[in-house]
Amino acid sequence: MDNFYCIENIFTNEERKDFIKKSKPFLLDPEQLSDIASRMNLHGRTYPGKQTSPDLHERNEFKYEHNRIVSVIRRILGKDVLILKSWVNWTNGKKKDIQWHNHKDSGDLSLVYYMKTVPFFSNGTVFKERMVRSPQNSMLIFPCHMEHTAPSCPFRFDRYTLAMDLVYG
């Protein structure tokens, strides 16, 4: 897979807002995430903004959202996938939170679902080659080896995304 796939209109507006609301209590500060990473022997990682632990797909309260995303991938792309990791990120566009990374050791595909974004400022993902814009309530699927980061923004808007590491099923 060498292309980006953007799939729009994943949830209803009510479901999308509920997903954000349910996620907020699970968001951890970077220091808390570093402690978890150390216990999992994931040394040397840094975490911009806040994020949940990477096992969100295993929690009963998020089964609906994860099943929906896998179902949409299967229907639109005609591929079965399994979720290895999934987590919600919160950022607000600070340049200090730019964190270039890839997921090449974590599966076949990476996915970002845009839960809450602001058009022209935080609606997409920055890759080394270019910014790929994706509207709120869409998901962007791309090869896991691609370096990427959340965009920075001169204004402080809350941006919520769901990230996943996927393997072909």
Side-chain angles (χ1 to χ4, degrees):
M1 176 174 160
D2 293 324
N3 299 322
F4 297 96
Y5 291 93
C6 182
I7 304 170
E8 298 183 18
N9 302 313
I10 307 303
F11 297 103
T12 66
N13 200 39
E14 184 177 302
E15 290 169 332
R16 181 186 63 78
K17 288 179 178 179
D18 185 56
F19 193 5
I20 294 167
K21 183 179 177 182
K22 287 191 316 188
S23 301
K24 285 181 180 181
F26 294 93
L27 290 169
L28 303 170
D29 292 323
E31 299 78 29
Q32 294 169 298
L33 290 162
S34 292
D35 289 344
I36 291 170
S38 290
R39 287 194 299 271
M40 296 173 68
N41 291 321
L42 301 172
H43 303 289
R45 297 193 182 195
T46 58
Y47 300 92
K50 296 181 181 183
Q51 69 183 55
T52 67
S53 63
D55 61 353
L56 217 58
H57 61 293
E58 296 173 355
R59 296 182 155 290
N60 284 333
E61 53 267 67
F62 297 103
K63 288 288 185 200
Y64 171 78
E65 292 84 0
H66 288 82
N67 288 340
R68 174 61 130 339
I69 287 171
V70 168
S71 172
V72 169
I73 293 169
R74 186 177 299 122
R75 182 172 46 87
I76 301 293
L77 300 184
K79 298 186 185 291
D80 280 326
V81 293
L82 301 171
I83 302 169
L84 295 179
K85 296 179 192 169
S86 102
W87 61 97
V88 168
N89 294 298
W90 169 88
T91 58
N92 66 359
K94 291 182 180 176
K95 280 194 177 195
K96 74 172 187 70
D97 288 337
I98 294 286
Q99 182 68 46
W100 288 101
H101 65 285
N102 64 46
H103 302 260
K104 68 182 179 185
D105 297 327
S106 301
D108 298 316
L109 303 171
S110 293
L111 178 148
V112 179
Y113 167 68
Y114 302 91
M115 301 166 77
K116 182 180 179 192
T117 63
V118 176
F120 306 110
F121 293 106
S122 66
N123 63 329
T125 297
V126 180
F127 293 87
K128 291 285 187 177
E129 307 79 29
R130 65 187 170 121
M131 168 85 165
V132 176
R133 297 211 179 273
S134 301
Q136 182 170 278
N137 196 29
S138 71
M139 62 183 169
L140 183 67
I141 304 168
F142 53 93
C144 63
H145 68 273
M146 297 189 76
E147 293 271 335
H148 61 281
T149 189
S152 64
C153 177
F155 311 105
R156 297 296 154 247
F157 296 117
D158 288 343
R159 177 184 194 260
Y160 290 90
T161 57
L162 170 73
M164 290 185 183
D165 290 337
L166 306 168
V167 291
Y168 293 115

